[in-house]
C-alpha cells in the first residue's frame, strides 16, 4: 500500500510536469493510459491482497495442523505404553483363564472319580445288606436270631433263647457299613467287652457268619455270669 501511494504521488508530479510540456490531446491519452494503469494496479492489488489473506489463512491452518500433529506425536509414547499395559493384562487374563479351565477340568475329573467310588461303595453296601437279608432265614432257624432293617441302612440283630431262665430276653447289636465299606457295630445291648475284637476280625476275614456266631457265643457266656 505504501508503494502504491508513492506511485500515485509520483504519477501526480509526472502529470503536472507533462501538462506543462505537452498538449491537451497527448495529456488526455496519457490520462487514459494512467487511468487504465491505475485500474490494472487496483485489480492487481485487490488480487494480491486476496492472495495474501488466503496465504495468511493457509499459514494459520498449517500452523494449527502442525500443532495438532505435534500433540499427537507427544501422545504416541503414552498410547504405546497404555497399549503395552493392555496387552500385558490380556496375557495375564488368558493365563488365569487357562489355569481356571485346567482347575475346573481337574475338579470335574476328581468329582467323577469320587462319584464312581461312592457309587461303587453304595453298590457294595447294598449287595452286602442284601446278602445279610438273604441269610436271615438261616440265622433265624439255626441261631434263634431275628434281623431287622432300621434307619440309615442299619441292621439290627436280635438274639433270643440265650438265657435259659428267660428265653424271650433279647440280646441285641446293631450293625452298619461305614464310608470305608467296613462292618461297624454301632450299639450292643447288653455291652460286650470283646465286640471291638470281633469287629476287627470280621473286617480282616470278611467271614460274617463266624462274626455273628461269635457274638452269640459271647452273649451266651455273659448270660451264665
Amino acid at each position: 500500500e505504501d508503494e502504491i501511494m508513492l506511485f500515485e504521488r509520483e504519477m501526480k508530479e509526472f502529470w503536472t510536469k507533462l501538462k506543462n510540456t505537452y498538449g491537451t490531446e497527448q495529456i488526455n491519452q496519457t490520462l487514459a493510459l494512467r487511468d487504465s494503469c491505475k485500474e490494472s494496479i487496483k485489480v492487481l492489488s485487490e488480487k494480491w491482497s486476496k492472495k495474501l489473506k488466503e496465504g495468511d489463512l493457509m499459514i494459520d491452518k498449517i500452523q494449527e495442523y502442525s500443532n495438532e500433529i505435534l500433540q499427537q506425536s507427544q501422545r504416541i509414547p503414552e498410547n504405546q505404553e497404555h497399549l503395552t499395559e493392555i496387552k500385558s493384562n490380556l496375557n495375564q487374563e488368558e493365563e488365569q483363564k487357562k489355569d481356571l479351565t485346567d482347575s475346573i477340568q481337574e475338579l470335574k475329573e476328581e468329582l467323577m472319580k469320587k462319584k464312581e467310588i461312592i457309587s461303587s461303595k453304595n453298590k457294595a453296601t447294598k449287595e452286602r445288606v442284601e446278602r445279610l437279608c438273604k441269610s436271615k432265614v438261616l440265622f433265624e432257624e439255626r441261631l434263634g436270631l431275628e434281623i431287622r432293617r432300621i434307619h440309615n441302612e442299619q441292621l439290627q440283630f436280635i438274639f433270643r433263647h440265650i438265657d435259659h431262665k428267660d428265653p424271650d430276653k433279647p440280646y441285641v447289636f446293631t450293625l452298619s457299613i461305614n464310608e470305608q465299606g467296613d462292618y461297624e457295630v454301632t450299639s450292643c445291648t447288653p455291652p460286650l467287652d470283646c465286640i471291638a475284637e470281633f469287629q476287627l476280625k470280621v473286617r480282616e476275614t470278611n467271614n460274617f457268619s463266624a462274626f455273628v456266631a461269635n457274638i452269640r457265643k459271647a452273649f451266651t457266656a455273659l448270660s451264665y455270669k
Side-chain angles (χ1 to χ4, degrees):
E1 291 178 357
D2 293 339
E3 290 178 356
I4 292 173
M5 291 175 63
L6 179 61
F7 179 76
E8 288 179 347
R9 186 169 60 250
E10 290 176 352
M11 284 291 293
K12 288 179 181 180
E13 292 175 357
F14 172 76
W15 298 134
T16 303
K17 292 178 182 181
L18 190 64
K19 287 178 183 179
N20 296 330
T21 306
Y22 297 97
T24 304
E25 184 178 352
Q26 290 179 334
I27 290 173
N28 291 335
Q29 291 177 354
T30 303
L31 288 174
L33 180 61
R34 183 199 69 176
D35 292 339
S36 175
C37 183
K38 287 179 69 176
E39 184 65 25
S40 297
I41 291 173
K42 181 181 179 182
V43 172
L44 184 61
S45 177
E46 291 176 352
K47 179 179 179 181
W48 279 108
S49 178
K50 182 178 179 182
K51 290 290 185 181
L52 286 173
K53 290 181 180 180
E54 291 177 353
D56 291 339
L57 291 174
M58 183 63 69
I59 290 172
D60 293 340
K61 201 68 176 177
I62 290 173
Q63 185 63 39
E64 182 181 346
Y65 288 154
S66 298
N67 293 335
E68 185 175 351
I69 290 172
L70 179 61
Q71 292 177 359
Q72 293 292 340
S73 299
Q74 292 174 348
R75 292 195 189 102
I76 286 176
E78 297 178 1
N79 293 336
Q80 287 179 341
E81 183 178 353
H82 185 58
L83 181 60
T84 302
E85 184 179 354
I86 291 175
K87 287 182 178 179
S88 176
N89 292 335
L90 286 175
N91 291 334
Q92 291 179 0
E93 289 179 358
E94 286 294 331
E95 291 178 359
Q96 291 176 356
K97 180 180 178 182
K98 184 178 181 301
D99 293 340
L100 182 59
T101 302
D102 293 341
S103 298
I104 291 174
Q105 184 62 32
E106 290 178 0
L107 288 174
K108 286 183 178 179
E109 293 176 357
E110 184 178 354
L111 181 61
M112 289 298 296
K113 289 179 181 179
K114 287 185 177 181
K115 285 184 176 180
E116 291 176 359
I117 292 172
I118 292 173
S119 177
S120 177
K121 287 183 177 180
N122 289 339
K123 182 179 179 181
T125 299
K126 289 182 179 180
E127 288 177 353
R128 285 188 177 185
V129 171
E130 291 299 328
R131 286 199 300 269
L132 292 176
C133 290
K134 289 179 180 179
S135 302
K136 179 181 178 181
V137 175
L138 176 63
F139 289 141
E140 286 179 348
E141 291 177 352
R142 297 187 180 183
L143 302 177
L145 173 64
E146 179 184 356
I147 302 175
R148 297 176 182 174
R149 180 180 290 183
I150 59 177
H151 59 280
N152 296 330
E153 293 296 326
Q154 296 186 100
L155 293 179
Q156 189 179 64
F157 295 77
I158 304 171
F159 294 98
R160 301 185 190 277
H161 308 298
I162 289 180
D163 189 347
H164 61 281
K165 297 178 182 179
D166 186 3
D168 292 330
K169 179 181 178 180
Y171 290 75
V172 182
F173 77 94
T174 303
L175 187 71
S176 68
I177 298 175
N178 60 24
E179 293 181 356
Q180 288 72 35
D182 297 325
Y183 294 112
E184 182 174 353
V185 177
T186 57
S187 65
C188 182
T189 306
L192 294 174
D193 295 335
C194 56
I195 196 70
E197 178 185 350
F198 293 160
Q199 179 176 270
L200 179 61
K201 190 171 183 179
V202 73
R203 290 179 181 178
E204 294 175 351
T205 63
N206 203 30
N207 189 340
F208 187 74
S209 298
F211 170 70
V212 174
N214 287 333
I215 291 179
R216 189 177 190 284
K217 289 178 182 179
F219 279 145
T220 302
L222 186 64
S223 70
Y224 285 103
K225 292 183 179 181

